[in-house]
């Protein structure tokens, strides 16, 4: 991306209230053109409301947002012409064929009969649904329906695509198929904003991650950088479960990354190290031995995006219900 290229998506200080609850509390977001941005956060963090603001489905109370250079409040029609949107639930007519669904979408977007037919054929071929194109959608698997819904959002070749939890409820094979479709779009230069509950999905697909909590961005960066910022993960499995509490205290002290997590069923204590702190296994084993704690296994590994998510949002549980209700209002608005 050249310095002169404007971001495909920009949000600055976006706020949105539903009743007494603020779904967005000053969200800032910048997505360069031609990249995939993963928007992560707990249930009710404001992810869906943010997408609905960008898609002009909900008006913000304050702040500014631009998509493909167009202001979402001042030029909503221009924004809609520049975007594709695939929500959590497929917006398809199950009583007609996949090909006819795409043709209808084309006609609704004023492509004309001939071009709508051509575009439907192009998309079915490109994304591996040509053989199923003349079957009724009700006969499709869940993964095929989601894939058809996704490519329906591409009928007008939009430069910006919003995917709101596109693989919710899918089996692993179907999820892999959707991932392949997203990668294909990114290679073709489409800018993708992806909200997801599956952290592995964001880790594999996103160039940049934005973690949202309580309606605002609390961390931004490439997946590897976010993972490096929280240190490593140290895990100790004990022979005697009665020693878990003592091991948690010792591990927290050595790792320096906060309180250790105890899994009684697995007889395991796990802690994150402080950024830049290297925990050597021989030292840890020696310290455990010094206080009489017998370890069956000790492991140090790089953190996952799950670790990042838990580390950043560990205080969310108490307020999550109210925020989730606000986000649901955002869906219905």
């Amino acid at each position: 991306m050249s310095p002169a290229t404007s971001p495909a998506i920009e949000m600055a200080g976006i706020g949105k209230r539903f009743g007494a609850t603020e779904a967005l509390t000053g969200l800032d977001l910048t997505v360069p053109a031609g990249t995939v941005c993963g928007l992560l956060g707990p249930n009710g963090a404001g992810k869906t409301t943010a997408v609905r603001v960008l898609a002009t489905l909900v008006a913000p109370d304050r702040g500014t947002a631009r998509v493909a250079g167009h202001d979402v409040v001042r030029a909503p029609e221009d924004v809609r012409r520049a975007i594709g949107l695939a929500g959590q639930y497929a917006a398809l007519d199950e009583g007609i064929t996949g090909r006819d669904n795409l043709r209808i979408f084309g006609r609704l977007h004023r492509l004309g009969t001939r071009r709508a037919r051509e575009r439907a054929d192009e998309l079915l071929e490109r994304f591996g649904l040509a053989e199923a194109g003349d079957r009724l959608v009700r006969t499709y698997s869940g993964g095929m329906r989601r894939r058809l819904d996704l490519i329906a959002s591409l009928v007008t070749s939009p430069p910006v695509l919003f995917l709101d939890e596109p693989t919710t409820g899918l089996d692993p094979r179907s999820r892999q198929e959707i991932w392949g479709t997203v990668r294909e779009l990114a290679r073709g230069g489409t800018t993708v904003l992806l909200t997801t509950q599956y952290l592995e999905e964001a880790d594999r697909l996103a160039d940049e991650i934005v973690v949202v909590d309580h309606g605002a961005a609390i961390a931004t960066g490439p997946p590897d950088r976010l993972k490096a910022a929280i240190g490593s993960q140290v895990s100790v499995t004990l022979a005697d479960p009665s020693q878990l509490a003592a091991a948690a205290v010792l591990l927290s002290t050595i790792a320096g990354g906060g309180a250790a997590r105890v899994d009684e069923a697995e007889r395991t204590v796990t802690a994150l190290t402080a950024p830049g702190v290297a925990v050597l296994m021989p030292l840890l084993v020696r310290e455990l031995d010094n206080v009489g704690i017998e370890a069956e296994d000790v492991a140090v590994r790089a953190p996952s995006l799950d670790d990042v998510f838990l580390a950043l949002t560990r205080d969310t549980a108490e307020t999550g219900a109210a925020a989730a209700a606000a986000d649901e209002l955002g869906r219905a608005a």
Side-chain angles (χ1 to χ4, degrees), residues 5-11 29-34 53-56 65-72 75-84 157-162 189-193:
T5 302
S6 298
I9 300 170
E10 298 175 275
M11 301 183 87
L29 176 68
T30 301
V31 182
V53 167
L54 290 167
T56 75
R66 298 176 68 84
V67 178
H70 307 294
D71 188 284
V72 300
E77 292 298 327
D78 292 329
V79 171
R80 290 168 195 157
R81 280 191 286 268
I83 66 172
S157 302
V160 178
L161 180 62
F162 300 128
T190 302
T191 302
V192 179
L193 180 64

Side-chain angles (χ1 to χ4, degrees), residues 144-160:
M144 291 171 66
R145 293 184 194 191
R146 292 301 293 144
R147 215 167 0 142
L148 182 66
D149 187 52
L150 194 159
I151 65 177
S153 67
L154 305 174
V155 164
T156 59
S157 302
V160 178

Side-chain angles (χ1 to χ4, degrees), residues 167-246:
T167 63
T168 296
L170 296 184
D171 60 75
R173 183 183 298 276
S174 297
R175 190 170 297 134
Q176 290 279 354
E177 292 174 351
I178 296 297
W179 291 358
T181 302
V182 174
R183 290 191 188 99
E184 172 74 13
L185 292 170
R187 284 193 295 267
T190 302
T191 302
V192 179
L193 180 64
L194 168 76
T195 76
T196 180
Q197 295 288 348
Y198 301 109
L199 302 185
E200 181 189 7
E201 184 166 276
D203 203 359
R204 291 200 182 188
L205 297 177
D207 301 296
E208 188 95 346
I209 299 288
V210 177
V211 182
V212 177
D213 201 8
H214 302 304
I218 59 173
T220 301
D224 288 345
R225 193 173 77 197
L226 290 180
K227 286 183 282 189
I230 66 167
S232 300
Q233 185 183 79
V234 185
S235 181
V236 178
T237 302
L238 303 184
D240 182 358
S242 69
Q243 296 182 315
L244 284 169

Side-chain angles (χ1 to χ4, degrees), residues 31 50 61 73 75 77 125 127 151 154 160 177 205 249 261 265 284 300 318-319 322 326:
V31 182
D61 296 329
V73 174
E77 292 298 327
E125 185 67 36
F127 293 104
I151 65 177
L154 305 174
V160 178
E177 292 174 351
L205 297 177
V249 172
R261 299 195 303 272
L284 178 57
V300 179
E318 296 179 2
T319 56

